[in-house]
PDB file of all heavy atoms in Angstrom:
ATOM      1  N   ILE Z  15     194.952  41.799  -6.511  1.00  0.00           N
ATOM      2  CA  ILE Z  15     194.674  42.247  -7.860  1.00  0.00           C
ATOM      3  C   ILE Z  15     193.417  43.109  -7.829  1.00  0.00           C
ATOM      4  O   ILE Z  15     192.391  42.750  -7.208  1.00  0.00           O
ATOM      5  CB  ILE Z  15     194.414  41.056  -8.785  1.00  0.00           C
ATOM      6  CG1 ILE Z  15     195.619  40.056  -8.734  1.00  0.00           C
ATOM      7  CG2 ILE Z  15     194.148  41.470 -10.219  1.00  0.00           C
ATOM      8  CD1 ILE Z  15     195.334  38.716  -9.383  1.00  0.00           C
ATOM      9  N   GLY Z  16     193.477  44.279  -8.481  1.00  0.00           N
ATOM     10  CA  GLY Z  16     192.322  45.139  -8.514  1.00  0.00           C
ATOM     11  C   GLY Z  16     192.265  45.938  -9.766  1.00  0.00           C
ATOM     12  O   GLY Z  16     193.022  45.690 -10.751  1.00  0.00           O
ATOM     13  N   ARG Z  23     190.610  63.156  -3.974  1.00  0.00           N
ATOM     14  CA  ARG Z  23     191.388  63.638  -2.830  1.00  0.00           C
ATOM     15  C   ARG Z  23     190.581  63.448  -1.566  1.00  0.00           C
ATOM     16  O   ARG Z  23     189.376  63.394  -1.556  1.00  0.00           O
ATOM     17  CB  ARG Z  23     191.721  65.140  -3.012  1.00  0.00           C
ATOM     18  CG  ARG Z  23     190.476  66.076  -3.003  1.00  0.00           C
ATOM     19  CD  ARG Z  23     190.939  67.506  -2.984  1.00  0.00           C
ATOM     20  NE  ARG Z  23     189.807  68.469  -3.001  1.00  0.00           N
ATOM     21  CZ  ARG Z  23     189.921  69.741  -2.791  1.00  0.00           C
ATOM     22  NH1 ARG Z  23     191.123  70.298  -2.582  1.00  0.00           N
ATOM     23  NH2 ARG Z  23     188.862  70.530  -2.861  1.00  0.00           N
ATOM     24  N   VAL Z  34     194.775  60.986  -3.960  1.00  0.00           N
ATOM     25  CA  VAL Z  34     194.844  59.534  -3.835  1.00  0.00           C
ATOM     26  C   VAL Z  34     194.311  58.878  -5.088  1.00  0.00           C
ATOM     27  O   VAL Z  34     193.520  59.452  -5.825  1.00  0.00           O
ATOM     28  CB  VAL Z  34     193.980  59.067  -2.620  1.00  0.00           C
ATOM     29  CG1 VAL Z  34     194.552  59.562  -1.297  1.00  0.00           C
ATOM     30  CG2 VAL Z  34     192.520  59.465  -2.734  1.00  0.00           C
ATOM     31  N   ALA Z  45     193.825  30.078  -6.059  1.00  0.00           N
ATOM     32  CA  ALA Z  45     193.683  29.004  -7.000  1.00  0.00           C
ATOM     33  C   ALA Z  45     194.728  27.918  -6.856  1.00  0.00           C
ATOM     34  O   ALA Z  45     194.517  26.768  -7.258  1.00  0.00           O
ATOM     35  CB  ALA Z  45     193.764  29.549  -8.425  1.00  0.00           C
ATOM     36  N   ASP Z  51     208.461  22.255  -0.110  1.00  0.00           N
ATOM     37  CA  ASP Z  51     208.636  20.821  -0.323  1.00  0.00           C
ATOM     38  C   ASP Z  51     208.294  20.419  -1.734  1.00  0.00           C
ATOM     39  O   ASP Z  51     209.004  19.614  -2.357  1.00  0.00           O
ATOM     40  CB  ASP Z  51     207.792  20.047   0.676  1.00  0.00           C
ATOM     41  CG  ASP Z  51     208.215  20.240   2.118  1.00  0.00           C
ATOM     42  OD1 ASP Z  51     209.394  20.623   2.299  1.00  0.00           O
ATOM     43  OD2 ASP Z  51     207.414  20.078   3.028  1.00  0.00           O
ATOM     44  N   ALA Z  57     204.520  30.223  -2.333  1.00  0.00           N
ATOM     45  CA  ALA Z  57     203.734  31.221  -3.008  1.00  0.00           C
ATOM     46  C   ALA Z  57     202.275  30.881  -3.101  1.00  0.00           C
ATOM     47  O   ALA Z  57     201.912  29.713  -2.831  1.00  0.00           O
ATOM     48  CB  ALA Z  57     204.308  31.446  -4.441  1.00  0.00           C
ATOM     49  N   ILE Z  61     193.365  34.645  -8.249  1.00  0.00           N
ATOM     50  CA  ILE Z  61     192.626  34.948  -9.442  1.00  0.00           C
ATOM     51  C   ILE Z  61     191.536  35.939  -9.097  1.00  0.00           C
ATOM     52  O   ILE Z  61     190.909  35.878  -8.008  1.00  0.00           O
ATOM     53  CB  ILE Z  61     192.010  33.664 -10.070  1.00  0.00           C
ATOM     54  CG1 ILE Z  61     191.392  33.934 -11.427  1.00  0.00           C
ATOM     55  CG2 ILE Z  61     191.020  33.016  -9.113  1.00  0.00           C
ATOM     56  CD1 ILE Z  61     191.113  32.707 -12.225  1.00  0.00           C
ATOM     57  N   LYS Z  66     183.183  33.457 -17.914  1.00  0.00           N
ATOM     58  CA  LYS Z  66     182.503  32.197 -18.197  1.00  0.00           C
ATOM     59  C   LYS Z  66     183.553  31.100 -18.411  1.00  0.00           C
ATOM     60  O   LYS Z  66     184.564  31.310 -19.071  1.00  0.00           O
ATOM     61  CB  LYS Z  66     181.664  32.308 -19.436  1.00  0.00           C
ATOM     62  CG  LYS Z  66     180.464  33.218 -19.303  1.00  0.00           C
ATOM     63  CD  LYS Z  66     179.638  33.267 -20.629  1.00  0.00           C
ATOM     64  CE  LYS Z  66     178.497  34.181 -20.521  1.00  0.00           C
ATOM     65  NZ  LYS Z  66     177.712  34.217 -21.775  1.00  0.00           N
ATOM     66  N   VAL Z  70     187.524  30.407 -21.147  1.00  0.00           N
ATOM     67  CA  VAL Z  70     188.853  30.188 -20.603  1.00  0.00           C
ATOM     68  C   VAL Z  70     189.554  29.041 -21.315  1.00  0.00           C
ATOM     69  O   VAL Z  70     188.919  28.044 -21.685  1.00  0.00           O
ATOM     70  CB  VAL Z  70     188.786  29.812 -19.077  1.00  0.00           C
ATOM     71  CG1 VAL Z  70     190.131  29.564 -18.483  1.00  0.00           C
ATOM     72  CG2 VAL Z  70     188.088  30.998 -18.340  1.00  0.00           C
ATOM     73  N   VAL Z  88     191.928  37.726 -14.396  1.00  0.00           N
ATOM     74  CA  VAL Z  88     193.397  37.914 -14.212  1.00  0.00           C
ATOM     75  C   VAL Z  88     193.865  36.929 -13.151  1.00  0.00           C
ATOM     76  O   VAL Z  88     193.217  36.706 -12.116  1.00  0.00           O
ATOM     77  CB  VAL Z  88     193.689  39.374 -13.709  1.00  0.00           C
ATOM     78  CG1 VAL Z  88     195.191  39.564 -13.661  1.00  0.00           C
ATOM     79  CG2 VAL Z  88     193.036  40.417 -14.581  1.00  0.00           C
ATOM     80  N   VAL Z 102     193.686  26.531  -0.684  1.00  0.00           N
ATOM     81  CA  VAL Z 102     193.027  26.676  -1.961  1.00  0.00           C
ATOM     82  C   VAL Z 102     191.514  26.854  -1.747  1.00  0.00           C
ATOM     83  O   VAL Z 102     190.926  26.158  -0.967  1.00  0.00           O
ATOM     84  CB  VAL Z 102     193.288  25.439  -2.868  1.00  0.00           C
ATOM     85  CG1 VAL Z 102     192.456  25.499  -4.123  1.00  0.00           C
ATOM     86  CG2 VAL Z 102     194.773  25.337  -3.163  1.00  0.00           C
ATOM     87  N   ASP Z 109     191.338  43.693   3.491  1.00  0.00           N
ATOM     88  CA  ASP Z 109     191.633  43.739   4.919  1.00  0.00           C
ATOM     89  C   ASP Z 109     193.084  43.321   5.216  1.00  0.00           C
ATOM     90  O   ASP Z 109     193.537  43.444   6.366  1.00  0.00           O
ATOM     91  CB  ASP Z 109     190.685  42.848   5.711  1.00  0.00           C
ATOM     92  CG  ASP Z 109     190.619  41.446   5.173  1.00  0.00           C
ATOM     93  OD1 ASP Z 109     191.198  41.155   4.101  1.00  0.00           O
ATOM     94  OD2 ASP Z 109     189.994  40.571   5.867  1.00  0.00           O
ATOM     95  N   VAL Z 122     199.971  48.902 -16.298  1.00  0.00           N
ATOM     96  CA  VAL Z 122     200.435  49.188 -17.647  1.00  0.00           C
ATOM     97  C   VAL Z 122     200.141  50.662 -17.915  1.00  0.00           C
ATOM     98  O   VAL Z 122     199.017  51.093 -17.879  1.00  0.00           O
ATOM     99  CB  VAL Z 122     199.765  48.304 -18.694  1.00  0.00           C
ATOM    100  CG1 VAL Z 122     200.212  48.673 -20.105  1.00  0.00           C
ATOM    101  CG2 VAL Z 122     200.041  46.833 -18.448  1.00  0.00           C
ATOM    102  N   SER Z 123     201.213  51.410 -18.201  1.00  0.00           N
ATOM    103  CA  SER Z 123     201.088  52.844 -18.404  1.00  0.00           C
ATOM    104  C   SER Z 123     200.289  53.190 -19.634  1.00  0.00           C
ATOM    105  O   SER Z 123     200.180  52.340 -20.589  1.00  0.00           O
ATOM    106  CB  SER Z 123     202.479  53.483 -18.481  1.00  0.00           C
ATOM    107  OG  SER Z 123     203.184  52.973 -19.603  1.00  0.00           O
ATOM    108  N   GLN Z 124     199.754  54.411 -19.723  1.00  0.00           N
ATOM    109  CA  GLN Z 124     198.961  54.805 -20.862  1.00  0.00           C
ATOM    110  C   GLN Z 124     199.881  54.894 -22.127  1.00  0.00           C
ATOM    111  O   GLN Z 124     201.017  55.448 -22.063  1.00  0.00           O
ATOM    112  CB  GLN Z 124     198.369  56.187 -20.615  1.00  0.00           C
ATOM    113  CG  GLN Z 124     197.334  56.178 -19.498  1.00  0.00           C
ATOM    114  CD  GLN Z 124     196.739  57.534 -19.268  1.00  0.00           C
ATOM    115  OE1 GLN Z 124     196.757  58.385 -20.150  1.00  0.00           O
ATOM    116  NE2 GLN Z 124     196.127  57.765 -18.120  1.00  0.00           N
ATOM    117  N   GLY Z 127     201.796  56.222 -28.187  1.00  0.00           N
ATOM    118  CA  GLY Z 127     202.164  55.989 -29.598  1.00  0.00           C
ATOM    119  C   GLY Z 127     203.619  56.268 -29.839  1.00  0.00           C
ATOM    120  O   GLY Z 127     204.482  56.281 -28.944  1.00  0.00           O
ATOM    121  N   GLY Z 136     212.836  63.643 -22.914  1.00  0.00           N
ATOM    122  CA  GLY Z 136     213.142  64.955 -22.318  1.00  0.00           C
ATOM    123  C   GLY Z 136     214.317  65.663 -22.912  1.00  0.00           C
ATOM    124  O   GLY Z 136     214.905  66.518 -22.255  1.00  0.00           O
ATOM    125  N   GLN Z 140     217.089  71.456 -30.859  1.00  0.00           N
ATOM    126  CA  GLN Z 140     218.255  72.125 -31.446  1.00  0.00           C
ATOM    127  C   GLN Z 140     217.924  73.606 -31.704  1.00  0.00           C
ATOM    128  O   GLN Z 140     216.762  74.036 -31.537  1.00  0.00           O
ATOM    129  CB  GLN Z 140     218.688  71.428 -32.748  1.00  0.00           C
ATOM    130  CG  GLN Z 140     219.134  69.977 -32.502  1.00  0.00           C
ATOM    131  CD  GLN Z 140     219.771  69.411 -33.788  1.00  0.00           C
ATOM    132  OE1 GLN Z 140     220.459  70.094 -34.492  1.00  0.00           O
ATOM    133  NE2 GLN Z 140     219.578  68.099 -33.964  1.00  0.00           N
ATOM    134  N   ALA Z 152     215.233  67.086 -34.197  1.00  0.00           N
ATOM    135  CA  ALA Z 152     215.977  65.860 -34.536  1.00  0.00           C
ATOM    136  C   ALA Z 152     216.859  65.424 -33.394  1.00  0.00           C
ATOM    137  O   ALA Z 152     217.205  66.194 -32.516  1.00  0.00           O
ATOM    138  CB  ALA Z 152     216.816  66.094 -35.776  1.00  0.00           C
ATOM    139  N   GLN Z 160     233.637  55.254 -36.898  1.00  0.00           N
ATOM    140  CA  GLN Z 160     234.365  54.052 -37.290  1.00  0.00           C
ATOM    141  C   GLN Z 160     234.487  53.057 -36.118  1.00  0.00           C
ATOM    142  O   GLN Z 160     234.397  51.868 -36.354  1.00  0.00           O
ATOM    143  CB  GLN Z 160     235.704  54.421 -37.845  1.00  0.00           C
ATOM    144  CG  GLN Z 160     236.418  53.231 -38.551  1.00  0.00           C
ATOM    145  CD  GLN Z 160     237.651  53.718 -39.272  1.00  0.00           C
ATOM    146  OE1 GLN Z 160     238.190  54.785 -39.037  1.00  0.00           O
ATOM    147  NE2 GLN Z 160     238.184  52.883 -40.212  1.00  0.00           N
ATOM    148  N   VAL Z 203     199.271  56.181  -9.825  1.00  0.00           N
ATOM    149  CA  VAL Z 203     199.815  54.870 -10.249  1.00  0.00           C
ATOM    150  C   VAL Z 203     199.657  54.777 -11.758  1.00  0.00           C
ATOM    151  O   VAL Z 203     198.799  55.506 -12.335  1.00  0.00           O
ATOM    152  CB  VAL Z 203     199.137  53.691  -9.515  1.00  0.00           C
ATOM    153  CG1 VAL Z 203     199.284  53.841  -8.050  1.00  0.00           C
ATOM    154  CG2 VAL Z 203     197.666  53.607  -9.925  1.00  0.00           C
ATOM    155  N   GLY Z 205     198.577  53.662 -15.486  1.00  0.00           N
ATOM    156  CA  GLY Z 205     197.435  53.065 -16.088  1.00  0.00           C
ATOM    157  C   GLY Z 205     196.246  53.989 -16.220  1.00  0.00           C
ATOM    158  O   GLY Z 205     196.153  55.006 -15.566  1.00  0.00           O
ATOM    159  N   SER Z 206     195.381  53.654 -17.139  1.00  0.00           N
ATOM    160  CA  SER Z 206     194.109  54.403 -17.355  1.00  0.00           C
ATOM    161  C   SER Z 206     193.056  53.883 -16.380  1.00  0.00           C
ATOM    162  O   SER Z 206     193.216  52.848 -15.751  1.00  0.00           O
ATOM    163  CB  SER Z 206     193.623  54.216 -18.805  1.00  0.00           C
ATOM    164  OG  SER Z 206     194.598  54.587 -19.753  1.00  0.00           O
ATOM    165  N   ARG Z 215     201.938  44.401  -0.967  1.00  0.00           N
ATOM    166  CA  ARG Z 215     202.252  44.890   0.378  1.00  0.00           C
ATOM    167  C   ARG Z 215     203.714  44.682   0.701  1.00  0.00           C
ATOM    168  O   ARG Z 215     204.271  43.572   0.429  1.00  0.00           O
ATOM    169  CB  ARG Z 215     201.382  44.171   1.396  1.00  0.00           C
ATOM    170  CG  ARG Z 215     201.460  44.764   2.804  1.00  0.00           C
ATOM    171  CD  ARG Z 215     200.584  43.923   3.751  1.00  0.00           C
ATOM    172  NE  ARG Z 215     201.148  42.594   3.982  1.00  0.00           N
ATOM    173  CZ  ARG Z 215     200.525  41.576   4.530  1.00  0.00           C
ATOM    174  NH1 ARG Z 215     199.301  41.717   4.926  1.00  0.00           N
ATOM    175  NH2 ARG Z 215     201.136  40.413   4.698  1.00  0.00           N
ATOM    176  N   GLU Z 221     210.170  39.924   8.520  1.00  0.00           N
ATOM    177  CA  GLU Z 221     210.358  39.050   7.353  1.00  0.00           C
ATOM    178  C   GLU Z 221     211.566  39.497   6.542  1.00  0.00           C
ATOM    179  O   GLU Z 221     212.335  38.692   6.091  1.00  0.00           O
ATOM    180  CB  GLU Z 221     209.113  39.110   6.472  1.00  0.00           C
ATOM    181  CG  GLU Z 221     207.913  38.452   7.113  1.00  0.00           C
ATOM    182  CD  GLU Z 221     206.710  38.462   6.167  1.00  0.00           C
ATOM    183  OE1 GLU Z 221     206.829  39.062   5.108  1.00  0.00           O
ATOM    184  OE2 GLU Z 221     205.680  37.891   6.542  1.00  0.00           O
TER     185      GLU Z 221
END
Side-chain angles (χ1 to χ4, degrees):
I15 306 167
R23 65 173 178 170
V34 296
D51 294 337
I61 187 166
K66 293 181 180 179
V70 178
V88 187
V102 173
D109 53 352
V122 177
S123 61
Q124 295 182 19
Q140 296 190 37
Q160 192 169 16
V203 303
S206 302
R215 189 183 68 192
E221 291 181 356

